[in-house]
Amino acid sequence: MVEWTDFERETIQNIFAQMDYEEIGPAALSRCLVVYPWTQRYFGNFGNLYNAAAIKSNPLIAVHGKTILHGLDRAVKNMDDIKTAYKELSVLHSEKLHVDPDNFKLLADCLTIVLAAKLGSSFTPDIQAAFQKFMAVVVNSLGRQYH
Amino acid sequence: MSLTEKDKTAVKTLWGKISKSADAIGADALGRMLSVYPQTKTYFSHWSDLSYGSGPVKAHGKKVMSGVALAVSKIDDLTAGLQDLSELHAFQLRIDPNNFKILSHCIMVVIATLFPKDFTPEAHVATDKFLSCLALALSEKYR
């Protein structure tokens, strides 16, 4: 089981309580598709991903970015057992979506960068550490049911 | 994943905007790295103070960013341009190359916090590629 300090718990709850899902979700996913273009392989039927401008204005990507970000809510609400909370999502990503689990870290890194840009100097080293620890646990849990 | 002309232009353009803050970026990135990835502290056991914002951290952050500045100026041939630094890292410092990725990530997080409007997805991908190529050039002499 993952041990969380009070600071880490508070930090994660605060970040997501103030999260602008409409803005951050699409920004993180579209950034991931630009910075790591091979991730576009999972979005073959999402329409025009030809360049950064097209990706940024793609409405299907925007909707999906929001969906993915809300997918983190389950972890925020179940910090003491994210592994169990994500069992079905892990099976889904493995068996149905066939996503290489290495990609989860790429998206997590983009989300970190987008959050850093949004929060500026209030994204302190301690807050960054807590957020990255949380994302590492999520990423690990999402990859657990692959076989 | 080598640098295209478009990448090099994007890197130089971004560098033009951020280079005045290079020292601050270096200090912040290094300080974050030591906090967020505590295993990196193992390389600095000889420092008196590893805390964020301390003298040694600031001085070393400045040194690291002058290496980045050199790399920008030698962007057309990083391997040749960073040869001396590669020898330093290979034979004396012997830093595990995985740590270059870690510091690169922290540098980009700091750039994002300080220059959110300039660190667009396009600037981000060019910078990520550049820092990867820089790391590769630094580890050239390792084995």
Side-chain angles (χ1 to χ4, degrees):
Chain A
M1 207 187 87
V2 181
E3 305 251 341
W4 302 100
T5 63
D6 289 340
F7 173 80
E8 286 166 347
R9 284 181 198 278
E10 267 174 51
T11 298
I12 297 305
Q13 298 306 316
N14 284 343
I15 287 176
F16 282 87
Q18 294 162 37
M19 181 75 79
D20 183 347
Y21 288 82
E22 295 276 344
E23 185 197 331
I24 303 293
L29 181 60
S30 55
R31 187 171 283 253
C32 187
L33 296 171
V34 171
V35 178
Y36 308 107
W38 53 94
T39 57
Q40 292 170 25
R41 72 189 307 285
Y42 302 108
F43 298 93
N45 53 353
F46 273 62
N48 185 3
L49 300 178
Y50 191 60
N51 53 36
I55 292 170
K56 197 169 170 189
S57 57
N58 185 311
L60 293 174
I61 292 294
V63 167
H64 200 67
K66 220 177 110 183
T67 302
I68 291 176
L69 192 55
H70 274 298
L72 292 177
D73 293 343
R74 196 180 300 198
V76 176
K77 293 190 176 81
N78 294 284
M79 281 178 73
D80 286 317
D81 198 356
I82 296 177
K83 192 169 87 188
T84 304
Y86 273 139
K87 211 159 160 195
E88 285 149 23
L89 271 173
S90 179
V91 171
L92 174 80
H93 283 77
S94 163
E95 305 294 300
K96 185 151 176 267
L97 304 175
H98 307 294
V99 178
D100 182 339
D102 284 350
N103 288 224
F104 301 144
K105 182 166 192 304
L106 301 181
L107 183 57
D109 284 349
C110 284
L111 181 56
T112 302
I113 296 275
V114 167
L115 204 59
K118 177 84 181 178
L119 299 177
S121 56
S122 51
F123 195 60
T124 63
D126 289 339
I127 289 177
Q128 181 185 346
F131 186 72
Q132 289 196 200
K133 177 176 168 179
F134 172 75
M135 291 309 297
V137 173
V138 167
V139 163
N140 183 273
S141 303
L142 269 177
R144 295 264 351 199
Q145 303 305 321
Y146 280 64
H147 64 93
Chain B
M1 291 190 254
S2 45
L3 295 170
T4 61
E5 287 311 314
K6 190 175 155 205
D7 293 324
K8 292 179 193 176
T9 305
V11 169
K12 286 188 230 180
T13 304
L14 183 68
W15 184 252
K17 294 180 181 150
I18 72 177
S19 59
K20 282 185 296 343
S21 312
D23 292 355
I25 293 173
D28 194 349
L30 198 70
R32 273 172 199 271
M33 184 189 79
L34 297 168
S35 267
V36 179
Y37 304 92
Q39 69 269 25
T40 57
K41 291 195 284 193
T42 55
Y43 290 98
F44 302 100
S45 50
H46 54 285
W47 282 1
S48 54
D49 188 351
L50 283 160
S51 58
Y52 182 77
S54 73
V57 171
K58 275 191 176 148
H60 200 67
K62 189 172 161 180
K63 206 185 276 188
V64 166
M65 290 310 281
S66 66
V68 174
L70 174 69
V72 175
S73 72
K74 306 280 181 186
I75 202 168
D76 290 318
D77 192 346
L78 287 169
T79 308
L82 297 178
Q83 228 182 67
D84 291 342
L85 278 174
S86 182
E87 281 176 21
L88 175 74
H89 284 75
F91 303 125
Q92 282 185 49
L93 303 177
R94 290 174 292 190
I95 295 169
D96 189 301
N98 196 51
N99 293 284
F100 299 146
K101 273 190 213 117
I102 290 175
L103 183 55
S104 296
H105 173 73
C106 290
I107 289 172
M108 289 191 288
V109 167
V110 171
I111 296 175
T113 62
L114 295 175
F115 302 92
K117 289 197 172 42
D118 297 305
F119 202 57
T120 60
E122 295 93 317
H124 180 168
V125 61
T127 305
D128 193 44
K129 284 178 76 176
F130 167 67
L131 291 174
S132 302
C133 292
L134 202 173
L136 200 62
L138 270 184
S139 47
E140 184 66 28
K141 302 271 182 198
Y142 269 56
R143 55 176 177 175

